Amino acid sequence: MTESQGTYEQPHSYSSPVNPEWPPPPPYQPAVAAPEPGKKRARGPMGLLAAVAIVAAAVGGGTAYAFQELTGKDTVATAGSTTTVVPSSKKGDVAAIAAAVSPSVVEINATLQNGSSTGSGVIITSNGEIVTNNHVVSGATSVKVRTSDGRSYPAEVVGTDSSKDLALIKLKGASGLKAAALGDSGGVQVGDTVVAIGSPEGLTGTVTSGIVSALNRDVTVSTDENQGQGQGGEGQWPFQFGGREFNGDTGSSTTTYKAIQTDASLNPGNSGGALIDASGHVIGINSAMYSSASQASSSSDAGSIGLGFAIPIDTVKSDLAKLRAGSDS
């Protein structure tokens, strides 16, 4: 063909298929048969599955906290297979865990009739529900809470359960807080990496790490309101382990619970704080620390020697309805 000849439209062509046995696609869009009159076109299952997959991906890609915001302000963020607190590539990274969970751990200051006590707590809902130890707020006439970003809130005690050494408090006028994702303590194994966050001696947001040293340890604590955490912020809480008493006399009124033992450093003021697994899920509420009889006389001498105990988070979850109902036991 010379340049003087007119051009014409070339017929649409297709390249050869990769697999010769596959027929080439038609050079036009095949017509879609219209439904017969009087019949409704059924929605295909693939369309439904695709819609469900999109929704699941949207939920799975966010954190439990984001899911909580969608489903209700008083919904506890419970960790599941799709819950992401720290990226999988950062699993076990103490810095990543601390950055993700520290905003969900608070410092609690309780005023008592005979002094004061300092402890920690874990935010479980965005509107300010906080789980802590009963002995942190036991006998308190007023409670103040400071969040990781320095904000301060008054709080009220909603419910207590001295038999499990647990309490639920509620901040006044709080919203938009970051709730922790509660994990599954039933899946915890000896040797698992853990991180503890709390306010030992009033040092807000202190992070320590270690492993789970043992499971199902029998820890006995006092249920006497007059014991409290000590006076003047000493944070000494008497408890028994292995038939011996630590941090003072437990008195005649006690309760025993099964605890997670950890070598993550816990000190006075860590009580009520979070024990966290390698994925950033809270698996326990720190509750007691070992100190020898010679150290129990004053908080200035007491310190962690690698024997700390935490209430399993499954115990907390099973007790939550009772605490929310305003139980005082």
Side-chain angles (χ1 to χ4, degrees):
M1 180 185 295
T2 64
E3 292 182 357
S4 60
Q5 289 178 306
T7 60
Y8 62 90
E9 185 179 356
Q10 295 287 339
H12 192 67
S13 62
Y14 294 88
S15 60
S16 299
V18 175
N19 296 304
E21 68 274 13
W22 293 354
Y28 53 85
Q29 190 72 17
V32 179
E36 297 180 15
K39 290 187 177 180
K40 292 184 178 179
R41 185 176 179 181
R43 186 176 181 182
M46 291 305 294
L48 291 173
L49 289 175
V52 171
I54 292 172
V55 173
V59 174
T63 64
Y65 172 66
F67 182 72
Q68 170 197 330
E69 289 295 298
L70 293 172
T71 56
K73 295 293 184 180
D74 60 351
T75 302
V76 176
T78 301
S81 59
T82 60
T83 304
T84 301
V85 180
V86 295
S88 58
S89 61
K90 294 288 187 179
K91 184 176 180 179
D93 186 314
V94 175
I97 296 168
V101 186
S102 288
S104 302
V105 181
V106 302
E107 178 184 306
I108 299 174
N109 292 285
T111 300
L112 313 174
Q113 291 182 348
N114 57 353
S116 63
S117 103
T118 299
S120 307
V122 178
I123 300 171
I124 61 169
T125 62
S126 63
N127 64 345
E129 283 186 325
I130 293 172
V131 169
T132 186
N133 289 143
N134 174 62
H135 72 256
V136 171
V137 296
S138 179
T141 56
S142 68
V143 178
K144 290 185 177 180
V145 171
R146 184 169 63 175
T147 57
S148 64
D149 59 4
R151 288 180 291 175
S152 182
Y153 297 91
E156 61 180 356
V157 178
V158 176
T160 61
D161 187 348
S162 60
S163 68
K164 295 182 177 66
D165 195 18
L166 290 172
L168 181 70
I169 66 175
K170 177 72 166 56
L171 303 187
K172 298 177 181 179
S175 63
L177 302 178
K178 184 176 182 181
L182 307 187
D184 175 14
S185 54
V188 174
Q189 297 181 334
V190 174
D192 284 351
T193 298
V194 288
V195 172
I197 303 178
S199 299
E201 302 290 0
L203 301 174
T204 305
T206 296
V207 177
T208 58
S209 64
I211 63 168
V212 173
S213 304
L215 299 171
N216 298 316
R217 293 298 201 196
D218 285 327
V219 172
T220 301
V221 298
S222 173
T223 59
D224 185 357
E225 280 196 1
N226 294 325
Q227 291 274 11
Q229 256 208 164
Q231 300 180 18
E234 291 181 353
Q236 295 302 293
W237 178 247
F239 76 100
Q240 297 175 355
F241 175 68
R244 297 173 60 194
E245 294 179 347
F246 301 97
N247 298 331
D249 183 9
T250 56
S252 59
S253 179
T254 61
T255 185
T256 301
Y257 57 82
K258 298 291 185 180
I260 299 171
Q261 181 182 325
T262 178
D263 69 349
S265 179
L266 300 180
N267 290 287
N270 270 115
S271 291
L275 188 68
I276 308 153
D277 68 13
S279 297
H281 305 143
V282 177
I283 56 167
I285 300 298
N286 299 321
S287 57
M289 67 161 213
Y290 173 100
S291 66
S292 66
S294 61
Q295 293 177 322
S297 59
S298 71
S299 61
S300 60
D301 295 330
S304 174
I305 61 171
L307 288 174
F309 304 92
I311 302 167
I313 203 64
D314 288 355
T315 300
V316 177
K317 290 187 288 189
S318 66
D319 206 37
L320 190 55
K322 178 181 178 181
L323 295 173
R324 279 178 164 167
S327 174
D328 188 8
S329 61

